[in-house]
Amino acid sequence: MLGVLLLLLLLMPLPATATAQLCGSGGSYVANGTYESNLAALASTLPANASSSPQLFAAATAGQSPDAVHALALCRGDFANDTACRDCVAASFQHAQRTCPSDKAATVYYEYDNDQRPGCVLGFSGDDGFLNPAANLTGNGTLFQAWNTGNISGVASVIAAGVHELLTATSEDAAANVTRRYATVVMDSAPTLYSLAQCTPDLSAGDCQACLQRLIGMVNATTSVRLGGRIFVLRCNVRFETFMFFDHPMRRISPSSNAPAPPTGKSTLWFLSPSIRRCTNTIERLQIHLLVVVPILI
């Protein structure tokens, strides 16, 4: 029965997506063993639990140590209905099973080709501390970055300061949102800038803010003038674009004349390179072609 369930998960058709997955380093599980059975149990229950939650979030454990599996799922805060959230989490489990086969741990950042359609985050692991809200806030084990290779036209220092100000305002709003730890902000600049920030809602306001500020600190003077970019870790994520990629803005702001300058240190840029496929730090665009994220220090 277990094998049939996992086979059905693998055979379900995937919509065209842009997905990043990071296969964990926690070892592999034995086929048809207890760990696989516990993972299958979570794959069958967590999508519905997340979609039925007012926070669009769920965390659960299946089984007992040493075969316990811990998982969490978070849908983006602007999902319009429960079905879409459930389907996204279910597809993320399917994607993890297909691209990280037999891995005890995996993280999936699932996004759709249509930027107006929200995505979701899924992570699972056999680590007993995996679901601790304060754990893994400073590590880079689930870090993923993607940047548009084009630059915004204009004075670089002004654009960079505006992007940094926008992301800071968005992170503050997300941390203050006690329901979903989610926020969207639009900056009336030239061009208009759009941003989103989100944390898992089990984080405190302080931990959410700290998680987001760490990611914003990775947006340096070079990456902040890109036409768009996103940074994910399991517990929080930020994104900015020059087009509206969410349902509606929760706040509008104007750039200030004394916006803080972004950091000037080195950062890792993730460019999309065709033809190579890996299970770690990859983007896959189905129905188009396979891409890999290649780190380049600048």
Side-chain angles (χ1 to χ4, degrees), residues 54 79 91 159 180 245 283:
F79 262 93
I159 295 168
R180 292 189 177 179
F245 60 93
I283 286 182

Side-chain angles (χ1 to χ4, degrees), residues 175-188:
N177 184 342
V178 296
T179 302
R180 292 189 177 179
R181 302 289 186 219
Y182 166 84
T184 57
V185 178
V186 174
M187 176 175 278
D188 293 319

Side-chain angles (χ1 to χ4, degrees), residues 38-52 58 60 62 86 89 93:
N38 291 334
L39 181 58
L42 289 175
S44 67
T45 59
L46 205 65
N49 291 344
S51 63
S52 62
R86 182 196 64 204
V89 177
F93 267 112

Side-chain angles (χ1 to χ4, degrees), residues 20-31:
Q21 78 278 339
L22 295 90
C23 302
S25 57
S28 302
Y29 57 80
V30 178

Side-chain angles (χ1 to χ4, degrees), residues 136-278:
N136 303 316
L137 291 182
T138 59
N140 291 332
T142 61
L143 174 65
F144 169 79
Q145 304 182 53
W147 301 94
N148 191 307
T149 56
N151 288 338
I152 300 172
S153 299
V155 180
S157 60
V158 174
I159 295 168
V163 167
H164 193 266
E165 181 182 18
L166 172 65
L167 292 176
T168 299
T170 312
S171 71
E172 291 171 351
D173 287 1
N177 184 342
V178 296
T179 302
R180 292 189 177 179
R181 302 289 186 219
Y182 166 84
T184 57
V185 178
V186 174
M187 176 175 278
D188 293 319
S189 54
T192 303
L193 297 173
Y194 305 85
S195 69
L196 178 152
Q198 186 172 20
C199 299
T200 57
D202 57 343
L203 292 185
S204 67
D207 283 343
C208 176
Q209 180 72 4
C211 186
L212 292 170
Q213 283 299 322
R214 188 174 78 91
L215 300 189
I216 294 170
M218 299 178 187
V219 184
N220 65 16
T222 300
T223 55
S224 58
V225 299
R226 300 290 176 178
L227 286 168
R230 67 196 77 181
I231 309 177
F232 286 87
V233 290
L234 181 64
R235 288 290 182 173
C236 68
N237 61 85
V238 294
R239 179 180 177 184
F240 74 92
E241 302 286 354
T242 54
F243 60 91
M244 186 179 292
F245 60 93
F246 41 76
D247 184 36
H248 66 275
M250 300 169 69
R251 184 159 71 105
R252 302 189 76 94
I253 63 174
S254 298
S256 66
S257 58
N258 58 348
T264 57
K266 290 185 177 181
S267 177
T268 300
L269 278 183
W270 299 87
F271 293 96
L272 306 184
S273 172
S275 75
I276 305 174
R277 182 175 184 272
R278 294 179 183 172

